[in-house]
Every structure is written in structure tokens, then in C-alpha cells.
Amino acid sequence: MKNVLIFSILFCTFTLPVFGQITQADFDKIRLIVNEEIKKEISNSEKRMKEYIDIKIESVEKRLNMLFGVVIALIAVIAIPQIIVAWRSSKYNELEKKVEQLTQEIQTLKQQRIVSS
């Protein structure tokens, strides 16, 4: 029984500081600590978010560059044959005109030859 009484008194002395009151200064200190921790968490979260966004933007830029290259390649594949065909047809038209002129000259020369003979 003596031991129980000693332990009870001992435990009561440990619990006496628990009944102390918190002052306004203590609340202010707690508030400052909490605010600092919140600011740290917010800044860390912002850093992680910026890094994530930067990574996503880089991947989108890579995809856009690849897509731009594909579009340029398609334009080249489609446009170059068209240009070649147009160039050849213009050369062909020039040759046809020359042949017509030469044919007319031959015809006129034949007629002159017939008339002179």
C-alpha cells in the first residue's frame, strides 16, 4: 500500500505541469512555428510543381518539334515531285513550240522550193 501511495504522488507531480495555462505569447510562438512550416511546405510544393510543369513543357516541345519535322518532310515529299512535273511540262511546251516553228519553216521552204523549180 505504501508503494501505491508513493507511485500515486510521483505520478501526480508529473501531471501538475499539464494543468498550466497557455499564454498569448505561447500561442504566438506556436502560430509562428506553424506559419513557417506551412510556408516551407508551400514553397516546396511550388518547386515540385514548377519542375513537373517544366518537364511536361519540354516533352510537349519535343513532340511539337518532331511533328514540325514530319510536316516539313511531307511537304517536301509532296511538293518536290509537283515542281519537277511542272518544270518538265514547261520545258516540253517550249520544245513543242520550237518543233512547230521548225515545221512551219520547213513547210515554207518546201513551198519556196516548189515555186522556184
Side-chain angles (χ1 to χ4, degrees), residues 73-113:
L74 284 175
I75 289 172
V77 165
I78 294 170
I80 289 175
Q82 294 294 327
I83 292 169
I84 291 172
V85 167
W87 179 68
R88 282 189 175 179
S89 67
S90 68
K91 272 193 130 179
Y92 181 74
N93 289 339
E94 288 176 15
L95 288 174
E96 275 188 358
K97 287 179 185 177
K98 283 185 180 182
V99 167
E100 280 183 31
Q101 286 175 354
L102 290 173
T103 306
Q104 287 177 358
E105 285 181 23
I106 290 172
Q107 291 297 330
T108 56
L109 287 174
K110 279 184 181 179
Q111 288 176 358
Q112 286 176 357
R113 189 171 181 206

Side-chain angles (χ1 to χ4, degrees), residues 9-50:
I9 293 172
L10 183 66
F11 287 136
C12 285
T13 57
F14 286 139
T15 59
L16 285 178
V18 173
F19 295 112
Q21 291 184 354
I22 297 178
T23 63
Q24 188 62 35
D26 293 335
F27 278 127
D28 291 338
K29 287 179 185 177
I30 293 170
R31 206 173 285 128
L32 285 174
I33 292 170
V34 169
N35 284 338
E36 287 176 8
E37 289 298 318
I38 290 174
K39 286 179 183 178
K40 285 179 187 176
E41 285 298 318
I42 289 173
S43 66
N44 289 339
S45 175
E46 286 176 352
K47 287 178 186 176
R48 288 191 308 268
M49 186 68 76
K50 286 179 184 178

